[in-house]
mmCIF file with all atom_site columns, all heavy atoms in Angstrom:
data_model
loop_
_atom_site.group_PDB
_atom_site.id
_atom_site.type_symbol
_atom_site.label_atom_id
_atom_site.label_alt_id
_atom_site.label_comp_id
_atom_site.label_asym_id
_atom_site.label_entity_id
_atom_site.label_seq_id
_atom_site.pdbx_PDB_ins_code
_atom_site.Cartn_x
_atom_site.Cartn_y
_atom_site.Cartn_z
_atom_site.occupancy
_atom_site.B_iso_or_equiv
_atom_site.pdbx_formal_charge
_atom_site.auth_seq_id
_atom_site.auth_comp_id
_atom_site.auth_asym_id
_atom_site.auth_atom_id
_atom_site.pdbx_PDB_model_num
ATOM   1   N N   . ALA X 1 45  ? 4.898  0.116   -0.983 1.00 86.00 ? 45  ALA X N   1
ATOM   2   C CA  . ALA X 1 45  ? 4.810  0.582   0.409  1.00 86.00 ? 45  ALA X CA  1
ATOM   3   C C   . ALA X 1 45  ? 3.518  0.068   1.024  1.00 86.00 ? 45  ALA X C   1
ATOM   4   O O   . ALA X 1 45  ? 2.442  0.228   0.452  1.00 86.00 ? 45  ALA X O   1
ATOM   5   C CB  . ALA X 1 45  ? 4.857  2.100   0.454  1.00 86.00 ? 45  ALA X CB  1
ATOM   6   N N   . GLN X 1 46  ? 3.649  -0.549  2.161  1.00 89.00 ? 46  GLN X N   1
ATOM   7   C CA  . GLN X 1 46  ? 2.467  -1.146  2.792  1.00 89.00 ? 46  GLN X CA  1
ATOM   8   C C   . GLN X 1 46  ? 1.968  -0.299  3.961  1.00 89.00 ? 46  GLN X C   1
ATOM   9   O O   . GLN X 1 46  ? 0.826  0.122   4.009  1.00 89.00 ? 46  GLN X O   1
ATOM   10  C CB  . GLN X 1 46  ? 2.806  -2.552  3.280  1.00 89.00 ? 46  GLN X CB  1
ATOM   11  C CG  . GLN X 1 46  ? 3.164  -3.505  2.172  1.00 89.00 ? 46  GLN X CG  1
ATOM   12  C CD  . GLN X 1 46  ? 3.579  -4.873  2.698  1.00 89.00 ? 46  GLN X CD  1
ATOM   13  O OE1 . GLN X 1 46  ? 3.402  -5.191  3.865  1.00 89.00 ? 46  GLN X OE1 1
ATOM   14  N NE2 . GLN X 1 46  ? 4.136  -5.691  1.832  1.00 89.00 ? 46  GLN X NE2 1
ATOM   15  N N   . GLY X 1 47  ? 2.873  -0.043  4.918  1.00 87.00 ? 47  GLY X N   1
ATOM   16  C CA  . GLY X 1 47  ? 2.492  0.552   6.206  1.00 87.00 ? 47  GLY X CA  1
ATOM   17  C C   . GLY X 1 47  ? 1.662  1.804   6.070  1.00 87.00 ? 47  GLY X C   1
ATOM   18  O O   . GLY X 1 47  ? 0.481  1.825   6.413  1.00 87.00 ? 47  GLY X O   1
ATOM   19  N N   . GLY X 1 48  ? 2.257  2.891   5.571  1.00 95.00 ? 48  GLY X N   1
ATOM   20  C CA  . GLY X 1 48  ? 1.484  4.101   5.414  1.00 95.00 ? 48  GLY X CA  1
ATOM   21  C C   . GLY X 1 48  ? 2.302  5.370   5.550  1.00 95.00 ? 48  GLY X C   1
ATOM   22  O O   . GLY X 1 48  ? 3.501  5.374   5.275  1.00 95.00 ? 48  GLY X O   1
ATOM   23  N N   . GLU X 1 121 ? 3.561  1.853   14.523 1.00 91.00 ? 121 GLU X N   1
ATOM   24  C CA  . GLU X 1 121 ? 4.740  1.123   14.026 1.00 91.00 ? 121 GLU X CA  1
ATOM   25  C C   . GLU X 1 121 ? 5.912  1.401   14.962 1.00 91.00 ? 121 GLU X C   1
ATOM   26  O O   . GLU X 1 121 ? 5.821  2.259   15.852 1.00 91.00 ? 121 GLU X O   1
ATOM   27  C CB  . GLU X 1 121 ? 5.060  1.535   12.575 1.00 91.00 ? 121 GLU X CB  1
ATOM   28  C CG  . GLU X 1 121 ? 4.024  0.998   11.593 1.00 91.00 ? 121 GLU X CG  1
ATOM   29  C CD  . GLU X 1 121 ? 4.299  1.340   10.134 1.00 91.00 ? 121 GLU X CD  1
ATOM   30  O OE1 . GLU X 1 121 ? 5.289  2.022   9.845  1.00 91.00 ? 121 GLU X OE1 1
ATOM   31  O OE2 . GLU X 1 121 ? 3.498  0.908   9.287  1.00 91.00 ? 121 GLU X OE2 1
ATOM   32  N N   . GLN X 1 241 ? 18.752 1.026   5.286  1.00 97.00 ? 241 GLN X N   1
ATOM   33  C CA  . GLN X 1 241 ? 17.867 0.421   6.286  1.00 97.00 ? 241 GLN X CA  1
ATOM   34  C C   . GLN X 1 241 ? 17.473 -0.987  5.860  1.00 97.00 ? 241 GLN X C   1
ATOM   35  O O   . GLN X 1 241 ? 16.990 -1.189  4.740  1.00 97.00 ? 241 GLN X O   1
ATOM   36  C CB  . GLN X 1 241 ? 16.611 1.275   6.442  1.00 97.00 ? 241 GLN X CB  1
ATOM   37  C CG  . GLN X 1 241 ? 15.676 0.769   7.521  1.00 97.00 ? 241 GLN X CG  1
ATOM   38  C CD  . GLN X 1 241 ? 14.579 1.774   7.832  1.00 97.00 ? 241 GLN X CD  1
ATOM   39  O OE1 . GLN X 1 241 ? 13.659 1.951   7.034  1.00 97.00 ? 241 GLN X OE1 1
ATOM   40  N NE2 . GLN X 1 241 ? 14.667 2.429   8.966  1.00 97.00 ? 241 GLN X NE2 1
ATOM   41  N N   . HIS X 1 243 ? 14.908 -3.862  6.511  1.00 95.00 ? 243 HIS X N   1
ATOM   42  C CA  . HIS X 1 243 ? 13.614 -4.067  7.169  1.00 95.00 ? 243 HIS X CA  1
ATOM   43  C C   . HIS X 1 243 ? 13.665 -5.410  7.879  1.00 95.00 ? 243 HIS X C   1
ATOM   44  O O   . HIS X 1 243 ? 14.080 -6.410  7.277  1.00 95.00 ? 243 HIS X O   1
ATOM   45  C CB  . HIS X 1 243 ? 12.482 -4.051  6.128  1.00 95.00 ? 243 HIS X CB  1
ATOM   46  C CG  . HIS X 1 243 ? 11.135 -3.861  6.757  1.00 95.00 ? 243 HIS X CG  1
ATOM   47  N ND1 . HIS X 1 243 ? 10.535 -4.822  7.530  1.00 95.00 ? 243 HIS X ND1 1
ATOM   48  C CD2 . HIS X 1 243 ? 10.288 -2.800  6.735  1.00 95.00 ? 243 HIS X CD2 1
ATOM   49  C CE1 . HIS X 1 243 ? 9.366  -4.362  7.959  1.00 95.00 ? 243 HIS X CE1 1
ATOM   50  N NE2 . HIS X 1 243 ? 9.190  -3.139  7.494  1.00 95.00 ? 243 HIS X NE2 1
ATOM   51  N N   . THR X 1 245 ? 11.435 -7.573  8.772  1.00 96.00 ? 245 THR X N   1
ATOM   52  C CA  . THR X 1 245 ? 10.548 -8.695  8.456  1.00 96.00 ? 245 THR X CA  1
ATOM   53  C C   . THR X 1 245 ? 10.193 -8.761  6.968  1.00 96.00 ? 245 THR X C   1
ATOM   54  O O   . THR X 1 245 ? 9.300  -8.055  6.497  1.00 96.00 ? 245 THR X O   1
ATOM   55  C CB  . THR X 1 245 ? 9.253  -8.618  9.303  1.00 96.00 ? 245 THR X CB  1
ATOM   56  O OG1 . THR X 1 245 ? 8.617  -7.366  9.069  1.00 96.00 ? 245 THR X OG1 1
ATOM   57  C CG2 . THR X 1 245 ? 9.533  -8.765  10.785 1.00 96.00 ? 245 THR X CG2 1
ATOM   58  N N   . LEU X 1 256 ? 7.849  -7.867  1.466  1.00 94.00 ? 256 LEU X N   1
ATOM   59  C CA  . LEU X 1 256 ? 7.788  -7.164  2.755  1.00 94.00 ? 256 LEU X CA  1
ATOM   60  C C   . LEU X 1 256 ? 6.607  -7.632  3.601  1.00 94.00 ? 256 LEU X C   1
ATOM   61  O O   . LEU X 1 256 ? 5.491  -7.762  3.098  1.00 94.00 ? 256 LEU X O   1
ATOM   62  C CB  . LEU X 1 256 ? 7.649  -5.661  2.475  1.00 94.00 ? 256 LEU X CB  1
ATOM   63  C CG  . LEU X 1 256 ? 7.542  -4.742  3.690  1.00 94.00 ? 256 LEU X CG  1
ATOM   64  C CD1 . LEU X 1 256 ? 8.876  -4.657  4.416  1.00 94.00 ? 256 LEU X CD1 1
ATOM   65  C CD2 . LEU X 1 256 ? 7.094  -3.352  3.260  1.00 94.00 ? 256 LEU X CD2 1
ATOM   66  N N   . ILE X 1 257 ? 6.876  -7.887  4.871  1.00 95.00 ? 257 ILE X N   1
ATOM   67  C CA  . ILE X 1 257 ? 5.782  -8.134  5.820  1.00 95.00 ? 257 ILE X CA  1
ATOM   68  C C   . ILE X 1 257 ? 5.725  -6.883  6.694  1.00 95.00 ? 257 ILE X C   1
ATOM   69  O O   . ILE X 1 257 ? 6.578  -6.655  7.561  1.00 95.00 ? 257 ILE X O   1
ATOM   70  C CB  . ILE X 1 257 ? 6.044  -9.388  6.697  1.00 95.00 ? 257 ILE X CB  1
ATOM   71  C CG1 . ILE X 1 257 ? 6.337  -10.626 5.828  1.00 95.00 ? 257 ILE X CG1 1
ATOM   72  C CG2 . ILE X 1 257 ? 4.877  -9.624  7.652  1.00 95.00 ? 257 ILE X CG2 1
ATOM   73  C CD1 . ILE X 1 257 ? 5.160  -11.159 5.025  1.00 95.00 ? 257 ILE X CD1 1
ATOM   74  N N   . SER X 1 258 ? 4.718  -6.067  6.453  1.00 92.00 ? 258 SER X N   1
ATOM   75  C CA  . SER X 1 258 ? 4.668  -4.725  7.041  1.00 92.00 ? 258 SER X CA  1
ATOM   76  C C   . SER X 1 258 ? 4.866  -4.718  8.551  1.00 92.00 ? 258 SER X C   1
ATOM   77  O O   . SER X 1 258 ? 4.358  -5.586  9.275  1.00 92.00 ? 258 SER X O   1
ATOM   78  C CB  . SER X 1 258 ? 3.320  -4.082  6.717  1.00 92.00 ? 258 SER X CB  1
ATOM   79  O OG  . SER X 1 258 ? 3.242  -2.828  7.339  1.00 92.00 ? 258 SER X OG  1
ATOM   80  N N   . GLU X 1 259 ? 5.547  -3.662  8.985  1.00 92.00 ? 259 GLU X N   1
ATOM   81  C CA  . GLU X 1 259 ? 5.724  -3.422  10.416 1.00 92.00 ? 259 GLU X CA  1
ATOM   82  C C   . GLU X 1 259 ? 4.362  -3.229  11.106 1.00 92.00 ? 259 GLU X C   1
ATOM   83  O O   . GLU X 1 259 ? 4.230  -3.388  12.313 1.00 92.00 ? 259 GLU X O   1
ATOM   84  C CB  . GLU X 1 259 ? 6.560  -2.150  10.565 1.00 92.00 ? 259 GLU X CB  1
ATOM   85  C CG  . GLU X 1 259 ? 7.113  -1.959  11.927 1.00 92.00 ? 259 GLU X CG  1
ATOM   86  C CD  . GLU X 1 259 ? 8.366  -1.080  11.896 1.00 92.00 ? 259 GLU X CD  1
ATOM   87  O OE1 . GLU X 1 259 ? 9.167  -1.175  10.946 1.00 92.00 ? 259 GLU X OE1 1
ATOM   88  O OE2 . GLU X 1 259 ? 8.518  -0.316  12.834 1.00 92.00 ? 259 GLU X OE2 1
ATOM   89  N N   . ALA X 1 260 ? 3.374  -2.888  10.307 1.00 90.00 ? 260 ALA X N   1
ATOM   90  C CA  . ALA X 1 260 ? 2.026  -2.719  10.848 1.00 90.00 ? 260 ALA X CA  1
ATOM   91  C C   . ALA X 1 260 ? 1.533  -4.024  11.493 1.00 90.00 ? 260 ALA X C   1
ATOM   92  O O   . ALA X 1 260 ? 0.692  -3.998  12.395 1.00 90.00 ? 260 ALA X O   1
ATOM   93  C CB  . ALA X 1 260 ? 1.076  -2.284  9.748  1.00 90.00 ? 260 ALA X CB  1
ATOM   94  N N   . ARG X 1 262 ? 3.338  -5.978  13.379 1.00 95.00 ? 262 ARG X N   1
ATOM   95  C CA  . ARG X 1 262 ? 3.759  -5.879  14.787 1.00 95.00 ? 262 ARG X CA  1
ATOM   96  C C   . ARG X 1 262 ? 2.985  -4.768  15.495 1.00 95.00 ? 262 ARG X C   1
ATOM   97  O O   . ARG X 1 262 ? 2.678  -4.852  16.672 1.00 95.00 ? 262 ARG X O   1
ATOM   98  C CB  . ARG X 1 262 ? 5.270  -5.651  14.870 1.00 95.00 ? 262 ARG X CB  1
ATOM   99  C CG  . ARG X 1 262 ? 6.065  -6.955  14.724 1.00 95.00 ? 262 ARG X CG  1
ATOM   100 C CD  . ARG X 1 262 ? 7.548  -6.724  14.676 1.00 95.00 ? 262 ARG X CD  1
ATOM   101 N NE  . ARG X 1 262 ? 7.934  -6.199  13.379 1.00 95.00 ? 262 ARG X NE  1
ATOM   102 C CZ  . ARG X 1 262 ? 8.788  -5.187  13.191 1.00 95.00 ? 262 ARG X CZ  1
ATOM   103 N NH1 . ARG X 1 262 ? 9.355  -4.610  14.220 1.00 95.00 ? 262 ARG X NH1 1
ATOM   104 N NH2 . ARG X 1 262 ? 9.076  -4.768  11.976 1.00 95.00 ? 262 ARG X NH2 1
ATOM   105 N N   . ARG X 1 289 ? 13.719 0.003   13.761 1.00 89.00 ? 289 ARG X N   1
ATOM   106 C CA  . ARG X 1 289 ? 14.082 -1.063  12.817 1.00 89.00 ? 289 ARG X CA  1
ATOM   107 C C   . ARG X 1 289 ? 15.524 -1.529  12.920 1.00 89.00 ? 289 ARG X C   1
ATOM   108 O O   . ARG X 1 289 ? 15.815 -2.704  12.724 1.00 89.00 ? 289 ARG X O   1
ATOM   109 C CB  . ARG X 1 289 ? 13.876 -0.559  11.394 1.00 89.00 ? 289 ARG X CB  1
ATOM   110 C CG  . ARG X 1 289 ? 12.459 -0.681  11.016 1.00 89.00 ? 289 ARG X CG  1
ATOM   111 C CD  . ARG X 1 289 ? 12.254 -0.324  9.597  1.00 89.00 ? 289 ARG X CD  1
ATOM   112 N NE  . ARG X 1 289 ? 10.820 -0.162  9.488  1.00 89.00 ? 289 ARG X NE  1
ATOM   113 C CZ  . ARG X 1 289 ? 10.201 0.447   8.517  1.00 89.00 ? 289 ARG X CZ  1
ATOM   114 N NH1 . ARG X 1 289 ? 10.900 0.973   7.542  1.00 89.00 ? 289 ARG X NH1 1
ATOM   115 N NH2 . ARG X 1 289 ? 8.903  0.546   8.511  1.00 89.00 ? 289 ARG X NH2 1
ATOM   116 N N   . HIS X 1 348 ? 15.968 -2.339  2.500  1.00 96.00 ? 348 HIS X N   1
ATOM   117 C CA  . HIS X 1 348 ? 14.635 -1.752  2.344  1.00 96.00 ? 348 HIS X CA  1
ATOM   118 C C   . HIS X 1 348 ? 14.654 -0.288  1.918  1.00 96.00 ? 348 HIS X C   1
ATOM   119 O O   . HIS X 1 348 ? 13.908 0.098   1.023  1.00 96.00 ? 348 HIS X O   1
ATOM   120 C CB  . HIS X 1 348 ? 13.906 -1.903  3.678  1.00 96.00 ? 348 HIS X CB  1
ATOM   121 C CG  . HIS X 1 348 ? 12.518 -1.355  3.706  1.00 96.00 ? 348 HIS X CG  1
ATOM   122 N ND1 . HIS X 1 348 ? 11.528 -1.811  2.864  1.00 96.00 ? 348 HIS X ND1 1
ATOM   123 C CD2 . HIS X 1 348 ? 11.947 -0.389  4.464  1.00 96.00 ? 348 HIS X CD2 1
ATOM   124 C CE1 . HIS X 1 348 ? 10.396 -1.147  3.119  1.00 96.00 ? 348 HIS X CE1 1
ATOM   125 N NE2 . HIS X 1 348 ? 10.640 -0.273  4.077  1.00 96.00 ? 348 HIS X NE2 1
ATOM   126 N N   . TYR X 1 349 ? 15.502 0.526   2.551  1.00 97.00 ? 349 TYR X N   1
ATOM   127 C CA  . TYR X 1 349 ? 15.387 1.974   2.295  1.00 97.00 ? 349 TYR X CA  1
ATOM   128 C C   . TYR X 1 349 ? 16.742 2.656   2.469  1.00 97.00 ? 349 TYR X C   1
ATOM   129 O O   . TYR X 1 349 ? 17.433 2.432   3.466  1.00 97.00 ? 349 TYR X O   1
ATOM   130 C CB  . TYR X 1 349 ? 14.390 2.595   3.278  1.00 97.00 ? 349 TYR X CB  1
ATOM   131 C CG  . TYR X 1 349 ? 14.093 4.046   2.982  1.00 97.00 ? 349 TYR X CG  1
ATOM   132 C CD1 . TYR X 1 349 ? 13.053 4.408   2.128  1.00 97.00 ? 349 TYR X CD1 1
ATOM   133 C CD2 . TYR X 1 349 ? 14.871 5.058   3.546  1.00 97.00 ? 349 TYR X CD2 1
ATOM   134 C CE1 . TYR X 1 349 ? 12.794 5.743   1.845  1.00 97.00 ? 349 TYR X CE1 1
ATOM   135 C CE2 . TYR X 1 349 ? 14.617 6.400   3.260  1.00 97.00 ? 349 TYR X CE2 1
ATOM   136 C CZ  . TYR X 1 349 ? 13.570 6.730   2.413  1.00 97.00 ? 349 TYR X CZ  1
ATOM   137 O OH  . TYR X 1 349 ? 13.319 8.053   2.132  1.00 97.00 ? 349 TYR X OH  1
ATOM   138 N N   . ARG X 1 383 ? 15.826 5.800   9.628  1.00 96.00 ? 383 ARG X N   1
ATOM   139 C CA  . ARG X 1 383 ? 14.514 6.404   9.356  1.00 96.00 ? 383 ARG X CA  1
ATOM   140 C C   . ARG X 1 383 ? 13.438 5.812   10.254 1.00 96.00 ? 383 ARG X C   1
ATOM   141 O O   . ARG X 1 383 ? 13.342 4.588   10.419 1.00 96.00 ? 383 ARG X O   1
ATOM   142 C CB  . ARG X 1 383 ? 14.140 6.165   7.895  1.00 96.00 ? 383 ARG X CB  1
ATOM   143 C CG  . ARG X 1 383 ? 12.752 6.650   7.538  1.00 96.00 ? 383 ARG X CG  1
ATOM   144 C CD  . ARG X 1 383 ? 12.487 6.477   6.065  1.00 96.00 ? 383 ARG X CD  1
ATOM   145 N NE  . ARG X 1 383 ? 12.420 5.095   5.656  1.00 96.00 ? 383 ARG X NE  1
ATOM   146 C CZ  . ARG X 1 383 ? 11.329 4.332   5.732  1.00 96.00 ? 383 ARG X CZ  1
ATOM   147 N NH1 . ARG X 1 383 ? 10.208 4.821   6.250  1.00 96.00 ? 383 ARG X NH1 1
ATOM   148 N NH2 . ARG X 1 383 ? 11.353 3.095   5.299  1.00 96.00 ? 383 ARG X NH2 1
ATOM   149 N N   . LEU X 1 384 ? 12.620 6.694   10.805 1.00 95.00 ? 384 LEU X N   1
ATOM   150 C CA  . LEU X 1 384 ? 11.454 6.254   11.563 1.00 95.00 ? 384 LEU X CA  1
ATOM   151 C C   . LEU X 1 384 ? 10.418 5.690   10.577 1.00 95.00 ? 384 LEU X C   1
ATOM   152 O O   . LEU X 1 384 ? 10.189 6.266   9.504  1.00 95.00 ? 384 LEU X O   1
ATOM   153 C CB  . LEU X 1 384 ? 10.868 7.447   12.317 1.00 95.00 ? 384 LEU X CB  1
ATOM   154 C CG  . LEU X 1 384 ? 9.721  7.189   13.274 1.00 95.00 ? 384 LEU X CG  1
ATOM   155 C CD1 . LEU X 1 384 ? 10.145 6.324   14.463 1.00 95.00 ? 384 LEU X CD1 1
ATOM   156 C CD2 . LEU X 1 384 ? 9.159  8.524   13.813 1.00 95.00 ? 384 LEU X CD2 1
ATOM   157 N N   . ALA X 1 385 ? 9.797  4.578   10.967 1.00 93.00 ? 385 ALA X N   1
ATOM   158 C CA  . ALA X 1 385 ? 8.828  3.914   10.084 1.00 93.00 ? 385 ALA X CA  1
ATOM   159 C C   . ALA X 1 385 ? 7.786  4.903   9.559  1.00 93.00 ? 385 ALA X C   1
ATOM   160 O O   . ALA X 1 385 ? 7.300  5.763   10.293 1.00 93.00 ? 385 ALA X O   1
ATOM   161 C CB  . ALA X 1 385 ? 8.125  2.808   10.870 1.00 93.00 ? 385 ALA X CB  1
ATOM   162 N N   . SER X 1 386 ? 7.466  4.759   8.281  1.00 96.00 ? 386 SER X N   1
ATOM   163 C CA  . SER X 1 386 ? 6.414  5.534   7.616  1.00 96.00 ? 386 SER X CA  1
ATOM   164 C C   . SER X 1 386 ? 6.676  7.043   7.541  1.00 96.00 ? 386 SER X C   1
ATOM   165 O O   . SER X 1 386 ? 5.773  7.826   7.260  1.00 96.00 ? 386 SER X O   1
ATOM   166 C CB  . SER X 1 386 ? 5.038  5.253   8.235  1.00 96.00 ? 386 SER X CB  1
ATOM   167 O OG  . SER X 1 386 ? 4.644  3.945   7.856  1.00 96.00 ? 386 SER X OG  1
ATOM   168 N N   . ASN X 1 387 ? 7.930  7.443   7.788  1.00 97.00 ? 387 ASN X N   1
ATOM   169 C CA  . ASN X 1 387 ? 8.302  8.848   7.572  1.00 97.00 ? 387 ASN X CA  1
ATOM   170 C C   . ASN X 1 387 ? 8.732  9.109   6.130  1.00 97.00 ? 387 ASN X C   1
ATOM   171 O O   . ASN X 1 387 ? 8.947  10.255  5.758  1.00 97.00 ? 387 ASN X O   1
ATOM   172 C CB  . ASN X 1 387 ? 9.467  9.246   8.495  1.00 97.00 ? 387 ASN X CB  1
ATOM   173 C CG  . ASN X 1 387 ? 8.981  9.978   9.749  1.00 97.00 ? 387 ASN X CG  1
ATOM   174 O OD1 . ASN X 1 387 ? 7.789  10.188  9.925  1.00 97.00 ? 387 ASN X OD1 1
ATOM   175 N ND2 . ASN X 1 387 ? 9.902  10.346  10.605 1.00 97.00 ? 387 ASN X ND2 1
ATOM   176 N N   . SER X 1 388 ? 8.878  8.038   5.322  1.00 97.00 ? 388 SER X N   1
ATOM   177 C CA  . SER X 1 388 ? 9.427  8.262   3.984  1.00 97.00 ? 388 SER X CA  1
ATOM   178 C C   . SER X 1 388 ? 8.395  8.838   3.019  1.00 97.00 ? 388 SER X C   1
ATOM   179 O O   . SER X 1 388 ? 8.669  9.800   2.292  1.00 97.00 ? 388 SER X O   1
ATOM   180 C CB  . SER X 1 388 ? 10.003 6.966   3.419  1.00 97.00 ? 388 SER X CB  1
ATOM   181 O OG  . SER X 1 388 ? 9.079  5.925   3.568  1.00 97.00 ? 388 SER X OG  1
HETATM 182 C C1  . LIG W 2 .   ? 6.244  -1.246  6.423  1.00 87.29 ? 1   LIG W C1  1
HETATM 183 O O1  . LIG W 2 .   ? 5.060  -1.335  6.117  1.00 87.29 ? 1   LIG W O1  1
HETATM 184 O O2  . LIG W 2 .   ? 6.744  -1.896  7.330  1.00 87.29 ? 1   LIG W O2  1
HETATM 185 C C2  . LIG W 2 .   ? 7.127  -0.314  5.624  1.00 87.29 ? 1   LIG W C2  1
HETATM 186 C C3  . LIG W 2 .   ? 6.845  1.085   5.954  1.00 87.29 ? 1   LIG W C3  1
HETATM 187 C C4  . LIG W 2 .   ? 8.086  1.907   5.871  1.00 87.29 ? 1   LIG W C4  1
HETATM 188 O O3  . LIG W 2 .   ? 9.063  1.508   5.234  1.00 87.29 ? 1   LIG W O3  1
HETATM 189 O O4  . LIG W 2 .   ? 8.136  2.951   6.525  1.00 87.29 ? 1   LIG W O4  1
#
Side-chain angles (χ1 to χ4, degrees):
Q46 296 177 12
E121 289 181 359
Q241 184 169 73
H243 196 290
T245 57
L256 179 71
I257 306 291
S258 177
E259 195 156 323
R262 279 175 285 136
R289 278 186 194 163
H348 180 60
Y349 187 90
R383 175 176 67 85
L384 186 65
S386 288
N387 262 0
S388 49

